[in-house]
Amino acid sequence: MRRNRNVKIVATLGPASSSPEMLEKLFLAGVDVFRINMSHTQHDLLRQLHHDIRAVEAKLKRPIGILADLQGPKIRIGTFANKEAKIASGDTFIFDTDKTPGDATRVCLPHPEIFASAQVGDNLLLNDGRLRVEIVKAEPTKLTTRVIFGGTLSDRKGVNLPDTVIPIPALTEKDRSDLEAAASAGVDWIALSFVQRADDVAEARKLIAGRAGVMAKIEKPAALTVLDEILEISDGLMVARGDLGVELPLETVPARQKQITRAARRVGKPVIVATQMLESMIVEPVPTRAEVSDVATAVYEGADAIMLSAESATGAWPDKAVATMDRIAQAVERDSLYRGIITAQRYEPQPTSADAISGAARSISETLKLAAIVCFTGSGSTGLRMSRERPDTPVIALTPIPNTARRLALVWGLHCVLTEDARDLDDMVTRATRIAFEEGFADQGQRIIITAGLPLGTPGATNMLRIAYVGKGGLSGS
């Protein structure tokens, strides 16, 4: 099965999409990676979903990625005597450590680390940013604020602090338990929520111990100030526009999306654009024109993947949402302007032999109008380097390692195929031409270009290019 697009689709699982029948339907509609939201998933269900996805994978003989998304630390206020309170713009409102139910003048904020870090002038956003207050006086157990935007505040609503770096780890005890369960089950990616610093990623990487890729979700302003450090230690990034759009001025989010996407593309690590992409399809069978444009923008920008959240998890039309996203992506990539935009964003190869080989493979394939680029990859690094080039020529990533194929299912432009490791150079060429033919990328008489590392099986040692003819039945020609 071959996708007719380069960008990948991630779909979140939930009550509307967790049955084995729907999993298969979603994959056939275009899903490349399934996201399991650990905020709403118990470990037994995690293992069941993993089992069912792998059953679909075995049936359809295509590698499928699984991403487990950790909840991260949630900051919430306490309760109110009357379940809610109305606070007006201009009012004074107090947050303190007193657990007594609150009223229209105060409420408990059971997070001592906030009192230790917040300063006069910092803003607090409540209920997904619907209410905003500014700190006018900061004390060890009390924050006095002035209400900027008022409204109704009810029990245990969330709090965002866009101006404050809070000294709390990105991993809670629940996250640690969920991380171990996900890694043990065999997921391919683990996403970390509310990353603020590179140390947050380092801690998770140590616990994951190579069992899955580490995806850092960029949704805190603090993360943007150290983006390069976070990117260096992560395996990929997610532009989590939900909380990012709460903590930053809305008008700045598109530019930040481009910043994050281009930073990841520059170093050749996958990047997902997420949140509210086809939001209206939670209840409607068609998206708004603005949502279509939003999806298209991410595709034009060269993101590796675009993601559905509630649209596929709880929406009325999960498979239709996936099919719609698939059609949008295909239409963008067929646009005559698309290739020029992608090419203009291309970065120079890094000064390594592997990057030089990948750059040369892309250039040769486009100059000679070759049918496909075939990469032999064990660890996945060759596939990632080839994807970084964003070639116009289709890319087939061949690997004998199922986990590598599944992890690369997230990466732009890679058509992953599981195959035995080549025995020698002749076997490598024959295997490449046969698979390119069988997978529908090359016809008899066409040529492909092959990249690999010699000696065969050496991780990260891409150092060879070979042009080969596809002969009768896919056998290599002279």
Side-chain angles (χ1 to χ4, degrees), residues 68-90:
D69 196 334
L70 304 183
Q71 176 176 288
K74 291 287 187 181
I75 299 174
R76 300 183 184 277
I77 60 172
T79 60
F80 293 91
N82 295 320
K83 306 298 182 185
E84 64 180 31
K86 290 185 178 180
I87 57 177
S89 300

Side-chain angles (χ1 to χ4, degrees), residues 191-210:
L192 311 179
S193 297
F194 303 111
V195 170
Q196 296 187 93
R197 56 186 78 82
D199 287 347
D200 296 335
V201 184
E203 180 184 5
R205 178 175 289 283
K206 183 177 180 180
L207 295 172
I208 293 170

Side-chain angles (χ1 to χ4, degrees), residues 388-468:
R388 179 180 180 270
E389 291 294 316
R390 296 294 192 266
D392 195 23
T393 308
V395 182
I396 307 171
L398 304 185
T399 181
I401 303 171
N403 289 345
T404 296
R406 292 161 178 163
R407 196 177 298 186
L408 292 179
L410 181 69
V411 179
W412 188 97
L414 298 188
H415 177 84
C416 302
V417 178
L418 277 171
T419 181
E420 294 178 2
D421 218 348
R423 297 184 299 274
D424 52 37
L425 190 58
D426 288 341
D427 182 46
M428 181 186 71
V429 174
T430 300
R431 194 178 297 270
T433 57
R434 175 177 55 79
I435 291 175
F437 178 81
E438 291 175 348
E439 295 288 320
F441 288 86
D443 292 325
Q444 180 179 337
Q446 292 187 304
R447 293 178 295 174
I448 64 171
I449 190 166
I450 304 164
T451 73
L454 296 178
L456 293 170
T458 305
T462 307
N463 58 8
M464 187 212 75
L465 282 178
R466 172 78 176 266
I467 296 174

